[in-house]
Amino acid sequence: MIKVSRGARYIAIEILCSWEERHLPLNQVMEQHLANMALRDPRDRQLIMSIVYGVIRWRGYLDWVVEKFSTHSLSMTDMKQPRWLSGFTNGILRSVDRKRPDLPHPLVAKNIDALPETALLSHPEWLIKRWKSRYGNAQAKSLCTKNNMPAPISLRVNTTVTTPSALLAILRKEGLNATAGKYCPLALKLEAYNGPITAIPGFADGLFQVQNEAAQLVSFLLGPLQPRKSYLDGCAGLGGKTSHLVQMLPSGSRLVAIEPNIVRIKKLKENLARLRQDTTVTIVEGMLGSLLPHNKDKFAGVLIDAPCSGLGVIRHNPDIRWNRSPDDLLRYQEKQIHLLQDAEQLVAPQGVLVYATCSTEPEENEEVIKKFLASYPLFTLSGCREQLPESATCLVDSQGFFRTLPGQDDLDGFFAARLIKSNEKLKMQNAK
């Protein structure tokens, strides 16, 4: 049995209040609170994460419970209100405890029909309605249900230093429930692992990168990479896809990774160093457009893993559902199109431009591609099927887009399109 530390509970409440007040990504708030904190018990970190993620994951249901037993509408920030609130809160908890045997619960069939959908599925009403309209009632409910379940950990094997079979053997020898991925040959999956990522065997030696299998497949779309060519990761972030591209890079080729955020650049460099890849990537701090005045050479391939709503990765980041609104989708779309407008100037003739998001929403996906192609006729849509492993070709739709849904064989929700830039002179000759 886990020993519950009063300190851990207090820290969890602090994190929840801070997240509610500051409207920052939950993982960022967690890191800020836990980075330099000496916990009483090594297991407290996992306990804090379980409490925080559980509360945010089931916020829709918890709000319903509070409203059912209270005449006041409360938010997390009310926790810092006057002393009367502690008594008021304890009163609600006592009432809930008395009624608990008859209280409907999303995971228990008894009286479940008494729950409104926003409580049963613990997602915002606008998102439930949107998914119902697009996917139908049954699949929309399935997406929400899967989002409320903790996800297994997916690893991408660093083939510059080991092999999938060798790492799988190491993990199993240490007693971990590890299996091979279903779609990507570099993927391994850890079930029911509750420890820190840094404690997974092989982490310190750079044998793997934590990365969902769907995200791993996106990097393949830039291929086949050619010897003595230049490639660009235009939105490097923490380096998940950057480090994968290093594994794919042929002899004599070079990879440039650009990222505007100095904190993420620090993490990017740390990740590449741990993976023993820090000497093979040129890192540029800045926006994608900052390359345009100085970069005379074009890239044979450009990957734009665009900033997006993140509605495809709610299972890993439960706070996203509460931090997004329908208006955000068009706001992201504007930024995404701007990124593609900059990227197209950096692609060499006959070069590849890959656009990807971790979003399920059309405004950020096929609508972006449609608008981009309408303005840039030199680019044509290339199907994604040929670049993917045979096991993953089923994830390409009839339009040639790579598309996965959250919870589908433990995949995150991803979208990707592969575009080819025509030779302008050849296109002009054909036009004549």
Side-chain angles (χ1 to χ4, degrees), residues 149-334:
M149 299 168 59
I153 296 172
S154 295
L155 311 178
R156 191 195 71 248
V157 179
N158 181 8
T159 52
T160 61
V161 293
T162 189
T163 64
S165 59
L167 181 56
L168 186 61
I170 291 172
L171 296 173
R172 287 176 172 173
K173 185 178 180 180
E174 294 295 324
L176 298 180
N177 183 6
T179 57
K182 180 176 180 178
Y183 297 103
C184 180
L186 304 180
L188 300 179
K189 186 163 66 174
L190 291 183
E191 297 280 1
Y193 178 79
N194 296 316
I197 298 298
T198 54
I200 299 175
F203 176 85
D205 297 322
L207 303 189
F208 65 84
Q209 174 72 23
V210 174
Q211 187 179 41
N212 187 263
E213 204 168 349
Q216 296 180 35
L217 292 168
V218 168
S219 299
F220 285 101
L221 300 179
L222 205 61
L225 273 58
Q226 303 296 321
R228 297 177 296 279
K229 297 289 186 179
S230 296
Y231 294 89
L232 172 66
D233 185 348
C235 303
L238 304 183
K241 296 178 181 66
T242 306
S243 57
H244 190 182
L245 291 174
V246 171
Q247 295 176 218
M248 300 167 57
L249 206 63
S251 176
S253 294
R254 75 181 184 112
L255 177 64
V256 177
I258 186 165
E259 168 57 45
N261 186 288
I262 191 169
V263 175
R264 287 197 288 266
I265 282 185
K266 182 176 182 292
K267 296 281 188 181
L268 168 62
K269 290 179 177 178
E270 290 173 354
N271 281 329
L272 292 175
R274 180 180 60 82
L275 296 167
R276 308 180 210 179
Q277 298 174 343
D278 49 323
T279 61
T280 56
V281 183
T282 300
I283 298 175
V284 177
E285 181 185 343
M287 302 294 291
L288 186 62
S290 65
L291 290 178
L292 297 176
H294 313 291
N295 199 83
K296 296 180 180 179
D297 297 328
K298 305 296 184 182
F299 294 94
V302 175
L303 170 63
I304 299 298
D305 183 16
C308 66
S309 67
L311 291 173
V313 293
I314 289 176
R315 193 173 181 185
H316 295 281
N317 302 280
D319 57 310
I320 284 176
R321 73 189 89 179
W322 310 118
N323 290 339
R324 299 290 183 266
S325 71
D327 293 338
D328 290 329
L329 301 178
L330 291 180
R331 180 172 57 83
Y332 277 112
Q333 182 187 93
E334 184 178 352

